[in-house]
Amino acid sequence: MKPRVFSGVQPSGNLHIGNYLGALKNWVRMQHEYDCIYCIVDLHAITVYQDPKELLTKIRDIAALFLAAGIDPKVSNVIVQSAVPAHAELAWMLTCVTPMGWLSRMTQFKAKSEKQETVGDGLFQYPVLMAADILLYQAAAVPVGDDQSQHVELTRDIAQRFNSLYGETFVVPATTLPTIGARVMGLDDPLKKMSKSDPGSGHAIALLDPPAVIRKKFSRATTDSLPAVDFDALGPGVDNLLNIFQAFSDWTGDQMRAHFSGMRYGDLKKQVAEMVISHLEPFQARHRQITAEPGYLDGVLREAAGRAAPIANSTVELVKRRMGLYVTS
Ligand code: ATP
Ligand code: MG
């Protein structure tokens, strides 16, 4: 049996190149070596208010984007989190073994709660639900961007605590980060990570942005006061642009230096834009094909949920037995 992989994306906005380079690119690469479950984590998205009609549309949008990025639904399972109720069930059991002190150290909670008028308890519990997502499938590896590594670390702590309290139950998962592109920064502010939920119009390159929009956003990207690329004095904005180019092109560090040293920022921005466009155009064409077939996506999601649910349910049953909860036989 192949080792299992689990990872997810929230349907909280348009997928951007950070999501692609940090997560999806690795997902595609890993799908033949591992038994993969890729999840649209709608229960995570509602930790901040989502318009119900838009949320349902975004769930399907994200599923189509997974497939357009190269996830093969015959090889990998693409599921919607709320279609498998065991996610929420295990989350409760894990909540009961997670000290609040562990959760209050999470940097994402601090950053996201600052932006909310009222902070829902779900935002605080978010990492426990994420631990449930991963542990439910006994995943050995979790391919995510750098911003999620603290949550995977917490998942490991929760798994170990449960195992020591109730006996060996969960596989303790490892984080898989890409070498380049693990943390793509905002084009408008290179000190902030690129995020779906950031409203700034020049902040992120969405995977479905047309070429003209991509060129415009890169041309306005924040750099610094130097005129040209100096690898010994890279400001965060220029460093981010170079990283984006390198992650898409798979060039080596030496190739990058040889090509970009001394290049004026205006030319750098144009070359990064063209590199990104050349990768996103075939992707966007596949996306158009997928969304043109009515019923296809829902069929993919239904079948995958049917395959995932028994795995998830058997873990919940094991956890119930370990904890002494009632199981109907
Ligand atoms: P939100 O603002 O709603 O939290 P997000 O852009 O952070 O959206 P998520 O759905 O939270 O996206 O994360 C999906 C995956 O993309 C995760 O594996 C996460 O680590 C990765 N990811 C998110 N942002 C970046 C980024 N800027 N660079 C690299 N990877 C990223
Ligand atoms: Mg996020």
Side-chain angles (χ1 to χ4, degrees):
M1 250 175 51
K2 292 177 185 169
R4 187 157 294 132
V5 154
F6 179 93
S7 196
V9 168
Q10 298 185 72
S12 50
N14 295 326
L15 282 198
H16 52 74
I17 55 172
N19 302 131
Y20 177 71
L21 296 174
L24 277 159
K25 194 173 173 218
N26 258 342
W27 295 12
V28 174
R29 188 178 59 76
M30 293 172 94
Q31 65 182 339
H32 295 286
E33 292 158 53
Y34 294 86
D35 176 8
C36 298
I37 299 177
Y38 296 132
C39 192
I40 298 142
V41 288
D42 52 351
L43 296 175
H44 281 275
I46 57 167
T47 54
V48 297
Y49 178 79
Q50 306 287 335
D51 179 271
K53 274 204 200 96
E54 279 178 26
L55 181 58
L56 200 52
T57 308
K58 279 182 199 151
I59 290 170
R60 289 203 179 88
D61 282 352
I62 304 254
L65 286 167
F66 282 7
L67 303 192
I71 305 296
D72 181 348
K74 293 197 191 74
V75 176
S76 304
N77 295 296
V78 175
I79 62 166
V80 180
Q81 187 183 29
S82 63
V84 182
H87 287 255
E89 202 177 359
L90 182 61
W92 174 252
M93 295 159 194
L94 298 182
T95 297
C96 298
V97 300
T98 307
M100 287 172 72
W102 290 5
L103 295 176
S104 56
R105 284 198 288 273
M106 295 297 112
T107 53
Q108 180 179 282
F109 171 70
K110 289 179 198 161
K112 287 201 170 179
S113 56
E114 273 167 14
K115 294 185 203 152
Q116 304 300 317
E117 246 172 64
T118 3
V119 180
D121 186 31
L123 201 56
F124 190 63
Q125 302 292 337
Y126 176 113
V128 185
L129 178 59
M130 178 163 159
D133 298 337
I134 296 165
L135 302 180
L136 203 49
Y137 298 102
Q138 306 286 11
V142 187
V144 284
D146 175 63
D147 63 300
Q148 289 299 330
S149 49
Q150 193 186 33
H151 290 162
V152 183
E153 201 48 51
L154 183 87
T155 300
R156 293 168 57 82
D157 291 342
I158 294 174
Q160 276 157 350
R161 187 172 159 87
F162 190 99
N163 287 350
S164 75
L165 284 171
Y166 296 106
E168 277 309 305
T169 305
F170 294 121
V171 170
V172 180
T175 314
T176 305
L177 292 180
T179 34
I180 314 278
R183 192 176 190 86
V184 176
M185 308 308 282
L187 297 186
D188 53 347
D189 178 358
L191 298 178
K192 251 185 5 191
K193 126 181 152 59
M194 189 177 281
S195 285
K196 267 187 256 111
S197 53
D198 190 298
S201 62
H203 170 76
I205 303 287
L207 295 181
L208 295 179
D209 274 348
V213 173
I214 296 177
R215 289 192 186 101
K216 192 164 166 193
K217 284 182 180 170
F218 275 117
S219 74
R220 293 188 179 165
T222 303
T223 48
D224 51 53
S225 55
L226 295 177
V229 179
D230 176 353
F231 278 89
D232 297 322
L234 284 182
V238 176
D239 192 34
N240 190 38
L241 292 173
L242 289 166
N243 277 329
I244 292 171
F245 186 99
Q246 190 175 8
F248 273 103
S249 66
D250 288 324
W251 283 15
T252 63
D254 287 346
Q255 278 175 302
M256 292 294 293
R257 270 177 183 264
H259 185 78
F260 287 108
S261 282
M263 186 180 284
R264 299 189 69 80
Y265 290 163
D267 293 330
L268 164 70
K269 288 174 171 181
K270 281 187 192 138
Q271 297 208 5
V272 181
E274 296 315 314
M275 174 55 67
V276 172
I277 289 167
S278 72
H279 278 76
L280 293 191
E281 271 183 335
F283 172 97
Q284 295 177 355
R286 279 199 298 276
H287 183 264
R288 280 192 293 276
Q289 270 174 0
I290 293 161
T291 46
E293 265 184 78
Y296 171 68
L297 265 184
D298 284 316
V300 165
L301 296 173
R302 195 170 41 245
E303 276 178 34
R307 287 191 296 266
I311 308 169
N313 292 341
S314 77
T315 305
V316 167
E317 189 179 323
L318 175 66
V319 169
K320 281 180 154 180
R321 288 188 196 281
R322 290 278 197 266
M323 295 182 100
L325 296 166
Y326 185 75
V327 179
T328 49
S329 46

